[in-house]
Amino acid sequence: MRAFRFLLPVALGAISALGFPPWNALPATLIAFAVWLHLIHEAPTLRRVLGIGWLFGVGHFCVANAWIQQPFEYQDAMPHWLGYGAVLALSLYLAIYPMLAAGLAWRLASPAAKGDSAPTADAAFVLVAGAGWTIAEYLRGTILSGYPWDPLSLVLIPHDLAQPAWLIGTYALSGLVVVASGALMLLVRGRWKLAVIGAAMFAALTLASTDRCRIATCVPQPPARQMLRVVQPNLPEEERPTEAYAENNFRALARLSRRTDASGPPRLLFWPEGAIRFPLEDGYPAYVYMDMGSATMARIRMGALLGDNDAILTGAQTLKFNASEDVTAATNSIVLAGPDARLHGRYDKAHLVPFGEYLPMRPLLERLGLSRLVPGDVDFIPGPGPRTMAVPGFGKVGMLICYEVIFSGATVDPADRPDFLFNPSNDAWFGDLGPPAHLAQAQLRAIEEGLPVIRSTPTGISAIIAADGRIIDSIALHKTGAIEAPIPPRFAPTAFSRLGNWMVGLVSALLLLTAIAIRRRAR
């Protein structure tokens, strides 16, 4: 019996993660959360509740983050089996947040804590659980640089149910998923009236948000004279450390980027994160250019692919040197290149990946034998945060490199709202499990901000995403190709883009106040 009490929350957590892409089993998520809420509701002590919440979180995040093992297969600095330990270690930490949500729900609204067995007390418990999850998930996305991968609302994306995110944002929508699961719990407990009311409110919010042009102002683009072209070269990650990779990758990009119609409309090309392995900036020490000529020659090769009004936005790296001309740091960047063989803008990634782009607590962890997963001993340094780059002839583009796109409320420069977002990434590190979830999170950002999102990755999934989260076109995982489309229309600033994650507090407060009102009315 003791073992069952231990294993049941873990199993429920693992099942609950099956709603995330690529599995997309939404009913499994809702049922698992409903049973979990029942366990919390019936628990006799706070200590038991905290255990149930933490064990549930361990199972949930071990499945949701299984892709983290994959990067360990592409490096030889550490044993590959260490990837499984990394998944477990991260899950042991992340499980604190479901534990916090469970503790709040039990302490503030459970019958055992409050001594209230009225029928409406169950509904109040569900609302408080939704508020608790909203707050906990927001904290998970911000504390210790934040790790908001796979927010619970992501389970709605494959079923086109995530439109309310443009009103309330990702984290508050996650809380409403918990409330929807709670409606299932109420139904099983015989509180069918309360369950029907809760389900009807969630359905009404979703339906009201579906046709956003009736609520929000659509901003149409001018007639299509400019085209966006997304390129996916599909070079395997195993080739990255080899000397031939840089040249082979450029040639693959070039084959997919050359003009076939000299009289065609202007094109803005999108290349993946780290697509260019040659130095593109002048002014580096001479030894940096020894094997590839000069930065000018690299830019000339890129410019030769372009028409007079074309441009390329590509992932690249830049280097920093000390007085002795030794490399001291690097940036993970996006650069804008034109047909004149010049660079016309640069964005440096601000939210860097621990162990991928820098080694935290380097003096200590190096002594323990740990290193970065990406080859190289030089750490990347962060840029200043979300920025917008003006691209002549194509409008203003917001920049988000790789997993910067998963940070709700931190993706757009509010002082210079772009026309669309560019999200180059290298999802080859994520195996087959990570890319579908990464794409879905980019869709959530499109819905939240009311902006199209353009994704280019080396091996997939590359996509052009409309401002309402729909995928206009895409290139499948492990496929070589390119897609082309006019610039998708954007929406006027959404409610979430104006208020940001203040919505976490507003929606949580609304749920808590409603729970208080229900309890007082019952008394």
Side-chain angles (χ1 to χ4, degrees):
M1 186 65 181
R2 191 183 183 95
F4 178 77
R5 185 183 298 170
F6 175 86
L7 292 174
L8 179 58
V10 176
L12 289 172
I15 293 169
S16 72
L18 296 180
F20 294 125
W23 304 290
N24 303 331
L26 177 59
T29 297
L30 296 178
I31 293 170
F33 265 87
V35 178
W36 180 61
L37 290 173
H38 172 74
L39 295 180
I40 296 167
H41 183 276
E42 297 299 306
T45 64
L46 179 59
R47 181 177 179 180
R48 176 77 61 82
V49 166
L50 295 178
I52 291 171
W54 186 76
L55 291 170
F56 179 89
V58 171
H60 180 83
F61 290 112
C62 274
V63 174
N65 292 308
W67 60 272
I68 288 178
Q69 185 275 331
Q70 193 65 37
F72 286 80
E73 300 291 334
Y74 296 121
Q75 56 79 47
D76 294 320
M78 292 179 284
H80 294 180
W81 58 261
L82 197 59
Y84 299 100
V87 172
L88 178 60
L90 180 61
S91 299
L92 295 177
Y93 159 66
L94 295 176
I96 293 171
Y97 297 100
M99 181 181 74
L100 173 63
L104 286 172
W106 187 89
R107 188 68 187 85
L108 297 179
S110 76
K114 294 297 182 182
D116 186 355
S117 58
T120 52
D122 290 347
F125 169 80
V126 168
L127 294 175
V128 174
W133 188 275
T134 299
I135 294 167
E137 193 169 271
Y138 168 74
L139 293 175
R140 172 164 70 91
T142 54
I143 291 176
L144 298 178
S145 84
Y147 184 78
W149 184 272
D150 277 357
L152 185 56
S153 52
L154 199 69
V155 301
L156 303 176
I157 283 287
H159 310 280
D160 196 25
L161 296 173
Q163 290 302 319
W166 79 275
L167 287 169
I168 61 175
T170 291
Y171 301 128
L173 185 57
S174 293
L176 294 189
V177 174
V178 172
V179 172
S181 295
L184 287 178
M185 185 198 76
L186 293 175
L187 187 63
V188 173
R189 293 177 64 85
R191 317 297 196 202
W192 63 270
K193 290 183 179 179
L194 297 173
V196 169
I197 291 172
M201 291 175 62
F202 185 83
L205 179 61
T206 302
L207 292 173
S209 302
T210 299
D211 191 355
R212 293 170 60 189
C213 280
R214 295 181 183 176
I215 306 172
T217 303
C218 291
V219 182
Q221 295 291 350
R225 274 295 302 161
Q226 301 89 9
M227 299 296 288
L228 308 180
R229 185 175 180 85
V230 179
V231 174
Q232 182 170 297
N234 195 37
L235 264 67
E237 190 65 26
E238 291 87 341
E239 292 190 18
R240 234 172 150 75
T242 64
E243 293 183 3
Y245 178 84
E247 181 63 26
N248 292 342
N249 192 56
F250 181 84
R251 290 181 180 180
L253 291 165
R255 283 195 300 270
L256 296 166
S257 302
R258 288 192 179 91
R259 267 195 169 277
T260 57
D261 180 5
S263 61
R267 303 174 310 154
L268 179 57
L269 300 174
F270 297 91
W271 289 0
E273 177 187 15
I276 298 299
R277 314 303 291 181
F278 308 120
L280 293 178
E281 292 188 318
D282 299 316
Y284 290 173
Y287 75 87
V288 176
Y289 305 108
M290 286 179 59
D291 295 331
M292 66 282 296
S294 67
T296 302
M297 287 302 301
R299 298 195 301 268
I300 288 174
R301 294 179 71 189
M302 294 172 64
L305 305 172
L306 304 176
D308 292 340
N309 298 309
D310 294 348
I312 297 175
L313 280 171
T314 180
Q317 294 177 1
T318 65
L319 302 175
K320 308 293 181 182
F321 300 86
N322 60 19
S324 302
E325 297 189 341
D326 298 320
V327 179
T328 58
T331 66
N332 189 355
S333 304
I334 299 171
V335 297
L336 173 64
D340 57 356
R342 295 172 56 194
L343 300 182
H344 298 275
R346 189 182 100 193
Y347 164 78
D348 296 336
K349 184 178 181 182
H351 212 124
L352 300 176
V353 181
F355 297 96
E357 292 166 313
Y358 71 97
L359 185 64
M361 301 178 292
R362 177 175 282 277
L364 172 63
L365 294 185
E366 275 189 329
R367 290 183 179 181
L368 296 176
L370 298 179
S371 65
R372 285 173 43 202
L373 293 174
V374 179
D377 296 325
V378 176
D379 285 341
F380 286 77
I381 56 176
R387 289 294 182 270
T388 299
M389 186 184 298
V391 181
F394 296 91
K396 297 189 294 184
V397 187
M399 307 292 175
L400 301 165
I401 297 178
C402 194
Y403 96 145
E404 285 185 312
V405 80
I406 74 175
F407 289 87
S408 174
T411 54
V412 170
D413 180 357
D416 192 11
R417 181 174 166 84
D419 298 310
F420 57 92
L421 301 171
F422 175 40
N423 176 220
S425 184
N426 181 10
D427 287 9
W429 286 95
F430 300 170
D432 290 344
L433 296 179
H438 207 184
L439 173 64
Q441 286 167 106
Q443 291 175 264
L444 263 178
R445 296 295 83 74
I447 296 170
E448 278 185 339
E449 300 292 344
L451 295 173
V453 177
I454 315 301
R455 275 179 56 79
S456 179
T457 70
T459 58
I461 305 169
S462 301
I464 298 174
I465 304 169
D468 61 1
R470 291 178 299 107
I471 295 178
I472 296 173
D473 203 354
S474 65
I475 309 170
L477 201 59
H478 308 309
K479 299 293 183 183
T480 303
I483 50 178
E484 198 166 286
I487 301 174
R490 69 187 188 279
F491 290 115
T494 63
F496 178 80
S497 68
R498 293 180 186 278
L499 294 177
N501 281 319
W502 285 104
M503 282 295 188
V504 170
L506 290 174
V507 173
S508 297
L510 180 60
L511 292 172
L512 291 172
L513 290 173
T514 304
I516 292 171
I518 288 173
R519 294 179 71 93
R520 286 186 174 178
R521 183 177 180 185
R523 290 171 184 169

